[in-house]
Amino acid sequence: MMHWKTKLLCSAATLMIAGSAQAADLTVAEPVDYVKVCDAFGAGFFYSPGTDTCIKVGGYVKFGTSFGDTDFGTYNSTYPKSQWSNFYTEASVQLTASSVTEYGNLTGFLDYRAQSGNSGSFTESASQIVNSSTNSAYVDSAWLSIGPVKAGRFTSLYDFGRGYTDTGSFGSDQTTDHIQVTYAVNGFGLALSVEDQRDRGSAGATDGVEESDGTYYSGGQDNIPDIVAALTYASGIFSTKIAAAYVNNAEDRTGAGSELNPYIYTAKTGFAVGGSVEFALDAFSPGDKFFITGNYGDNANSYTGISGGTSVANLTSSLDESFIASAAPGSSWSALASYKHVWTPAVWSAVTGGYASYDGDGYFDNYTVDAYRGVFSTGWTPVTGLDLMLDAQYSHVDVSDGRTAVKNEDDGDAWAVNLWMKRSW
């Protein structure tokens, strides 16, 4: 009996030793860090697994409506007698990818948007107008940069901003395809860009005389990009910007449109120059700001807000079909001032006032447009990521056409109240 007990104990001991040895040979899996925070480019970035590229995902969902009326056409084209533009929903997905290289930071950015129908007011951009009728998604902006070079579709280097209100006053408001180089040192910034002039409404050209519906025409705009330069400076509570542009957007028209005397469209070069100043008024009230800007252009209407995104043309295009504001030759100028007051960390208000004027040349000699706009906005952020907006605006436009023996004059008003809520992330 003792002999069998001894054998059993030895066998048990052998099994225990073998099991321990096998357990020691097993590799213990380390915890996997699936999401690793990247703080090299600011908050919200994380490393793409297996790479040194930092990714940020953002976007928003926005729901809004507006009420208003205009003397220029109808406020709601679907229901001409209605002063309500119905509801609309807009969504945006924003992606950023950044990494550090020996040539500087390498970054790519995409803002992809889609909007439901039913939107409608005279403050829509061209992309929004197309999108509201087709319900198609579109690229609002997309660009890449490495070191000082940035290229893609993004805000024009010339733009100064149109105030702190949700709806801005008249001024350059343009997203263009362009390439830009920037150099900064000791508070100063110097930038130069080459921009696609077609994004500002530059017309095309013909190869000889062409006919359409009994009208004969030839010529047009040359395919030459706009050149923009800007100088910025910031120190303490003060920041400023000066910008200038050589442009190729306008064209003049001569002739009668007949087969023997066709319309001849001649390209007109031009220029624009502008400046802005902003003051941070934290000493007066934390978060308060004041901003002022002014612009002058010759054959450069989209640079002064006569045409473009936030422009007088959005109000007056129904007055004269021959007045294509983006291409009409002449001089123009605009100016605006804006003030923002922060009531609490969650509530702010802003007011903006601006004026714009156009004096035609060539075919539009003695054709003038004068407009002014006032805007008031109040925003409330009840919780992080949720914004509520009330925006009210009033605009007045005077148009004078002295190209005929009998001078034609017209004026009108437009107003709108916009309400929206937005969830951002």
Side-chain angles (χ1 to χ4, degrees), residues 227-284:
I227 309 297
V228 182
L231 175 67
T232 61
Y233 177 73
S235 178
I237 67 170
F238 169 83
S239 63
T240 186
K241 175 181 176 179
I242 299 173
Y246 167 78
V247 306
N248 298 274
N249 307 139
E251 57 183 33
D252 199 6
R253 190 183 86 177
T254 58
S258 64
E259 186 174 4
L260 296 177
N261 186 19
Y263 288 136
I264 304 298
Y265 292 93
T266 305
K268 306 284 287 186
T269 60
F271 70 90
V273 61
S276 68
V277 178
E278 183 179 50
F279 296 94
L281 305 178
D282 293 323
F284 172 73

Side-chain angles (χ1 to χ4, degrees), residues 21-57:
Q22 290 177 356
D25 290 339
L26 293 177
T27 301
V28 178
E30 296 291 335
V32 178
D33 188 7
Y34 290 102
V35 179
K36 185 177 180 181
V37 174
C38 171
D39 56 7
F41 304 99
F45 283 87
F46 60 91
Y47 281 102
S48 176
T51 74
D52 59 355
T53 299
C54 297
I55 305 294
K56 182 177 182 179
V57 179

Side-chain angles (χ1 to χ4, degrees), residues 99-258:
S99 59
V100 179
T101 76
E102 58 184 311
Y103 302 104
N105 293 340
L106 174 62
T107 299
F109 174 80
L110 170 66
D111 184 353
Y112 201 62
R113 299 185 184 183
Q115 189 178 69
S116 65
N118 303 329
S119 66
S121 73
F122 41 79
T123 60
E124 289 182 294
S125 68
S127 296
Q128 288 174 316
I129 292 172
V130 172
N131 182 249
S132 64
S133 61
T134 63
N135 288 333
S136 59
Y138 63 98
V139 175
D140 182 76
S141 60
W143 52 265
L144 60 94
S145 68
I146 181 166
V149 179
K150 183 177 181 181
R153 183 172 179 82
F154 54 102
T155 301
S156 170
L157 174 61
Y158 187 88
D159 286 16
F160 294 91
R162 290 152 302 284
Y164 303 115
T165 45
D166 186 56
T167 299
S169 188
F170 307 121
S172 181
D173 178 17
Q174 204 65 49
T175 299
T176 67
D177 290 284
H178 63 286
I179 184 169
Q180 176 177 311
V181 179
T182 304
Y183 176 75
V185 61
N186 296 329
F188 286 94
L190 180 62
L192 180 69
S193 70
V194 180
E195 309 193 2
D196 195 325
Q197 79 285 358
R198 296 170 300 174
D199 290 321
R200 290 185 175 272
S202 178
T206 66
D207 184 13
V209 177
E210 296 186 5
E211 182 270 339
S212 176
D213 296 328
T215 300
Y216 294 83
Y217 57 91
S218 69
Q221 181 58 258
D222 298 325
N223 190 27
I224 301 175
D226 293 350
I227 309 297
V228 182
L231 175 67
T232 61
Y233 177 73
S235 178
I237 67 170
F238 169 83
S239 63
T240 186
K241 175 181 176 179
I242 299 173
Y246 167 78
V247 306
N248 298 274
N249 307 139
E251 57 183 33
D252 199 6
R253 190 183 86 177
T254 58
S258 64

